[in-house]
Amino acid sequence: MDTLAALAGGFATALTPTHLLFAFVGCFLGTAVGVLPGIGPALTVALLLPITFQVPATSAFILFAGVYYGAMYGGSTTSILLNTPGESATIITALEGHRMARAGRAGPALATAAIGSFVAGTIATLALTFAAPVVVELALKLGPAEYFSLMVVAFVAVSAVLGASALRGLACLFLGLLLGIVGVDLQTGQPRFTFGMIEFLDGIEVTIVAVGLFAVAETLHLATRRKHGEDEILPVQGSLWLSKSDWARSWKPWLRGACIGFPFGAIPAGGSELPTFLSYYMERKLSKNPGEFGHGAIEGVAGPEAANNASAAGVLMPMLTLGLPTSVTAAIMLSAFQSYGIQPGPMLFVTQGDLVWGLIASLYVGNVMLLILNLPLVGLWVKILKIPTPQLYAGILVFATIGSYGVSNSVIDLLVMYGVGIVGLFMKRYDFPVAPAVIGMILGPLAEQAFRQALTISQGDVTTFITRPISASFLVVALLLAFGPKLWSAWVATQQRARA
Amino acid sequence: MTMSRRHALAAAALIPGAALVGGPARAQQRFDSIFMFVPAGPGGGWDGTGRAIEQAARQAGLVGSFQFENVGGAGGMVGLPRFVNQRRNQANALMVGGSVMVGAGITNKSPVTIANVQPVARLTEEAGVVVVPANSEVKSWTDLAAKFRSNPGAVPVGGGSAGGTDHIALGLILKALGRNPREASYVAFAGGGPANAAILGGQVGAGISGYSEFSEQVKAGRMRALATTGEKRIAGTDIPTLKELGINVTAANWRGVFCPPGLNGQQRQALIDLMTAIHATPQWKEILTTRAWDDAFLTGDAFGAYLKQDIAATEEVLKDLGLA
């Protein structure tokens, strides 16, 4: 079937009033849950599952896709304004975005996030439309050995986020690794670092730690400094809209973010966090004024935001073409397919063509809808910053607590969140960077599992990482990233000396 | 088998069941309300079972309303103690559970296990299936069995988390072939997606998991199914069972419902009768067909005897695997 004709048919389905309404409700709900810390798209889709008894499959999936995309938009809002990541995919956004907000540039930060999400979401949906089968087949070539090597690249890249002191950065990275290891080990079924508590058997939730380190620590920090009469947040200054130079600095990160995010969503162990880290690293490296990073560089918001939205479209690709869920939300959407008696897989495009193309068309529609929904809200959102600091942060604490408890019904999770918040306070006080801890927590367990899976497959032969060509190329990239810049400057120096 | 980590999946929420567009009660109402406890997050297999019971019971007018509570984590080990403590003596409380909970109780050495609740009814089960990638040199079960016999370590097998249903089935197979289960190169993946990808990409030599995890790939000819672990063949397929192939191994991932400790015989019987009535409805039959669940209905003491045997067998394999 001709792709364009099928897509046109899909638009005919997606543009009916009923489906437009479903898309709108989905986008709206998604934006709302994205804004709330702790509550994510996976939970929302899971709670909406019972509607699969009531409405036709196409309507339900248009709703779910709207929630999924919307959450990626909404998550950035709280990251930027309140330094409280709504989703794990928007943790990186908080680094530069919140700095911008504090400098009175919340408007441009929100705008570049929304437009970047739109641009990247649309590019990724185009890629989903035309490149799906090819990319998925390529993704299958990656096994555990390749994933491990890819994680090595990521670790090398993120060490750039370690901040001024490598020692402090590493200390935080290892704190993150330790937190990430807690729970039942996948490869042996044995509990590690759980201290006999069943609540820890499934590990510690990344968003709990992120909210603790960002929101709780921030609140405590402000509380301790309050009596010194410091008010760190500047009022909104200047235009809410992107200036000419903002546009000039944003459009390349958007495109690069889309190119990083989409393939990572598509590979089975990619997820949406990893591409945001890599995009941040890339923007920092490519920036003409890297000194601005850490103080509110717009590129550091534009790139990662584009990357996480592109990865959301990427995730749908293996799910629709192979029936492989690569994220938690996708896994729940898969179970929704099953409750309709539809099994996504290689046959889906043939057996359920109307459904699939209707869904893909609704992604285009949803992207436009989210942009329309989010841009006017920018003005409204930045007003949040006008709330006096004590009340604002009290509100954040309430939301963070409700959100985290609502997800798990677990008091232990709350204790962990506040415990981590206190640790975070001291980290902030003594200038330890927060990002490496979160990154370690996300990447550490992934890398460990991939490493051990690869070794089980190779029966303990460590050379598997260098004898497999793709894995070896990733490792070479990692080496170049680590030592390339130094060797290059050393070479340039010797050249200059030779000339002199 | 869903994602291993709790993530958002292991969410929990107190939500009233979806209002179903049903007419007035058509059968005699047996319970005004049922409290359904799901020791897993919304969206997974246990949650699906609980909501399917609600759907059938309400459409048939057997139960007035349902209240759900989801407490996910660690194969049900986080939710189970909560159900035992908070719902003791509550005559309208049911908990969804299954074979995963049996294994999780043993590997985690949990003080509260499935033996602390009372069996009401086993509802469904799903046989496991052994698959190889379509382009594998292994053409039949005989080929694979020969490889396992000579050196099990040389065939990496992908499946769900270590100590889970898939791992146990592989252990049983190796034992039946005269090898030590610990010799297996078992590669645990967090969920059906990554496991499928590893098998399709030829990263592992074979895969073992519930049939539904692989069915679509098998139908599309991208994986070759060699044997199933059920008592009889899976409906609509021509894959032989291990028993037919001369390996005396059966393993199935079953799901059922339990009631809290403290209920007397009469109260438990009322719940058993309710489940029997739900099982007899055409709505339940329809759900079984659309979800491709195998009917494995067994109630009361017969289910209790089965459970006891399942716990003993699981414990033995997990000991062999060094996990208990």
Side-chain angles (χ1 to χ4, degrees):
Chain A
M1 196 168 25
D2 181 26
T3 308
L4 284 175
L7 188 63
F11 270 108
T13 314
L15 290 174
T16 58
T18 327
H19 288 150
L20 281 176
L21 187 66
F22 271 105
F24 177 77
V25 172
C27 292
F28 186 78
L29 266 181
T31 308
V33 303
V35 167
L36 285 173
I39 302 176
L43 176 70
T44 313
V45 173
L47 292 180
L48 287 172
L49 274 184
I51 77 151
T52 57
F53 300 142
Q54 318 279 341
V55 302
T58 314
S59 312
F61 286 106
I62 286 177
L63 177 73
F64 294 164
V67 170
Y68 193 29
Y69 267 32
M72 293 291 162
Y73 271 76
S76 55
T77 307
T78 43
S79 284
I80 291 169
L81 294 178
L82 310 175
N83 203 16
T84 305
E87 303 305 321
S88 56
T90 58
I91 289 170
I92 283 289
T93 311
L95 293 183
E96 298 302 322
H98 189 59
R99 290 279 155 202
M100 285 181 71
R102 288 195 152 176
R105 293 187 14 96
L110 288 170
T112 197
I115 301 171
S117 295
F118 169 74
V119 171
T122 306
I123 293 174
T125 309
L126 278 171
L128 170 68
T129 314
F130 295 103
V134 191
V135 177
V136 167
E137 289 305 319
L138 283 178
L140 285 180
K141 301 246 185 291
L142 306 181
E146 284 75 23
Y147 287 134
F148 174 72
S149 303
L150 197 56
M151 295 300 157
V152 174
V153 175
F155 270 120
V156 171
V158 299
S159 47
V161 195
L162 291 179
S165 155
L167 191 61
R168 281 161 195 243
L170 282 176
C172 295
L173 185 71
F174 280 99
L175 175 72
L177 288 176
L178 176 65
L179 289 172
I181 283 173
V182 173
V184 170
D185 170 36
L186 185 67
Q187 298 303 317
T188 57
Q190 299 304 303
R192 299 187 294 191
F193 299 105
T194 59
F195 302 100
M197 293 173 69
I198 47 171
E199 285 82 2
F200 286 147
L201 284 178
D202 269 357
I204 297 172
E205 190 71 35
V206 177
T207 45
I208 296 278
V209 172
V211 170
L213 282 178
F214 285 86
V216 179
E218 181 86 27
T219 310
L220 294 176
H221 182 68
L222 277 170
T224 57
R225 305 193 61 116
R226 187 78 192 150
K227 63 179 172 203
H228 302 293
E230 278 182 45
D231 202 353
E232 297 181 20
I233 300 180
L234 297 177
V236 179
Q237 299 171 335
S239 167
L240 289 182
W241 194 238
L242 296 178
S243 69
K244 217 170 195 172
S245 86
D246 289 335
W247 278 101
R249 289 174 59 179
S250 290
W251 72 272
K252 279 186 201 153
W254 291 337
L255 297 185
R256 285 193 288 256
C259 295
I260 296 175
F262 184 69
F264 272 92
I267 65 175
S272 53
E273 297 93 4
L274 191 54
T276 62
F277 301 156
L278 290 178
S279 164
Y280 182 81
Y281 166 78
M282 190 185 244
E283 296 313 328
R284 193 175 165 143
K285 279 282 152 192
L286 292 176
S287 170
K288 287 198 189 78
N289 25 2
E292 223 179 284
F293 274 74
H295 303 284
I298 196 165
E299 293 91 343
V301 178
E305 272 306 302
N308 74 30
N309 259 61
S311 81
V315 161
L316 291 176
M317 199 165 60
M319 186 182 81
L320 293 175
T321 54
L322 288 176
L324 297 182
T326 56
S327 78
V328 189
T329 315
I332 295 175
M333 283 170 82
L334 195 70
S335 84
F337 272 109
Q338 283 159 350
S339 73
Y340 282 108
I342 303 167
Q343 182 71 42
M347 309 297 290
L348 187 71
F349 276 81
V350 183
T351 57
Q352 299 284 341
D354 288 353
L355 169 67
V356 177
W357 290 108
L359 178 64
I360 291 177
S362 82
L363 294 179
Y364 290 96
V365 177
N367 259 314
V368 176
M369 222 173 241
L370 280 164
L371 190 68
I372 298 171
L373 198 68
N374 276 276
L375 278 185
L377 282 180
V378 167
L380 187 69
W381 287 126
V382 294
K383 289 218 168 62
I384 289 179
L385 293 180
K386 293 212 168 110
I387 301 171
T389 316
Q391 282 87 333
L392 176 64
Y393 277 86
I396 295 175
L397 267 198
V398 171
F399 268 112
T401 309
I402 294 175
S404 306
Y405 184 74
V407 169
S408 59
N409 279 1
S410 163
V411 182
I412 301 281
D413 276 3
L414 287 186
L415 293 178
V416 170
M417 189 177 91
Y418 281 97
V420 167
I422 291 168
V423 174
L425 166 67
F426 286 100
M427 285 168 68
K428 227 177 152 52
R429 177 75 185 74
Y430 297 105
D431 209 21
F432 282 80
V434 169
V438 178
I439 290 166
M441 192 173 170
I442 294 172
L443 293 186
L446 287 176
E448 188 214 353
Q449 293 303 328
F451 181 73
R452 290 166 61 196
Q453 284 165 345
L455 283 185
T456 309
I457 290 171
S458 72
Q459 295 184 65
D461 183 2
V462 191
T463 58
T464 181
F465 297 109
I466 44 174
T467 51
R468 294 177 59 116
I470 304 178
S471 169
S473 348
F474 283 142
L475 288 177
V476 170
V477 171
L479 275 176
L480 286 178
L481 283 181
F483 299 109
K486 274 179 200 147
L487 289 177
W488 174 251
S489 43
W491 188 73
V492 170
T494 44
Q495 289 299 98
Q496 277 170 349
R497 228 175 295 139
R499 228 174 289 142
Chain B
M1 193 169 74
T2 43
M3 298 302 188
S4 76
R5 291 242 147 191
R6 195 162 30 161
H7 253 81
L9 220 185
L14 264 174
I15 46 163
L20 290 165
V21 200
R26 264 153 280 147
Q28 192 207 348
Q29 186 168 314
R30 287 165 186 270
F31 277 87
D32 283 344
S33 69
I34 284 285
F35 172 83
M36 182 68 77
F37 186 87
V38 181
W46 286 347
D47 189 57
T49 305
R51 311 237 173 222
I53 293 171
E54 177 198 28
Q55 195 186 354
R58 284 170 52 110
Q59 281 177 359
L62 290 164
V63 176
S65 68
F66 274 82
Q67 194 193 4
F68 274 79
E69 185 178 4
N70 293 70
V71 179
M77 285 303 113
V78 178
L80 182 65
R82 194 189 283 225
F83 181 73
V84 168
N85 294 329
Q86 294 184 353
R87 305 294 158 186
R88 191 179 292 273
N89 306 326
Q90 185 174 330
N92 72 336
L94 284 173
M95 179 189 77
V96 185
S99 41
V100 172
M101 199 179 248
V102 173
I106 298 167
T107 49
N108 295 326
K109 300 177 184 65
S110 171
V112 181
T113 69
I114 203 165
N116 295 72
V117 289
Q118 304 191 57
V120 171
R122 185 182 71 181
L123 295 170
T124 61
E125 70 179 10
E126 183 182 36
V129 60
V130 182
V131 296
V132 291
N135 58 4
S136 165
E137 60 190 30
V138 175
K139 300 291 175 205
S140 67
W141 170 254
T142 329
D143 295 351
L144 189 64
K147 280 184 164 246
F148 276 148
R149 271 202 197 92
S150 64
N151 180 11
V155 193
V157 182
S161 53
T165 323
D166 309 334
H167 195 189
I168 289 173
L170 179 67
L172 288 169
I173 291 171
L174 287 189
K175 212 172 161 191
L177 289 169
R179 302 295 307 211
N180 184 338
R182 280 198 219 194
E183 291 174 287
S185 285
Y186 186 73
V187 190
F189 288 96
N196 260 300
I199 299 163
L200 290 178
Q203 313 291 343
V204 290
I208 185 164
S209 198
Y211 180 67
S212 65
E213 297 284 355
F214 299 143
S215 59
E216 206 57 24
Q217 312 297 344
V218 171
K219 277 183 215 154
R222 299 173 61 103
M223 285 183 193
R224 185 161 40 242
L226 303 179
T228 66
T229 63
E231 285 283 350
K232 47 183 197 287
R233 290 189 180 194
I234 294 164
T237 72
D238 55 357
I239 314 162
T241 65
L242 285 169
K243 275 197 161 166
E244 287 173 47
L245 295 162
I247 311 280
N248 191 16
V249 168
T250 56
N253 186 359
W254 56 266
R255 295 185 189 126
V257 286
F258 298 81
C259 66
L263 299 197
N264 61 33
Q266 209 182 341
Q267 288 170 317
R268 177 172 165 233
Q269 193 57 45
L271 288 167
I272 294 174
D273 292 343
L274 170 69
M275 291 315 300
T276 312
I278 291 172
H279 177 251
T281 59
Q283 288 89 347
W284 182 254
K285 297 274 176 306
E286 196 192 313
I287 291 169
L288 289 179
T289 322
T290 50
R291 306 276 180 108
W293 287 344
D294 270 344
D295 194 3
F297 195 62
L298 191 69
T299 60
D301 292 337
F303 176 32
Y306 168 83
L307 182 62
K308 225 172 224 165
Q309 187 199 329
D310 193 41
I311 293 173
T314 307
E315 192 151 18
E316 198 187 316
V317 189
L318 286 173
K319 276 208 176 103
D320 286 339
L321 290 169
L323 296 177

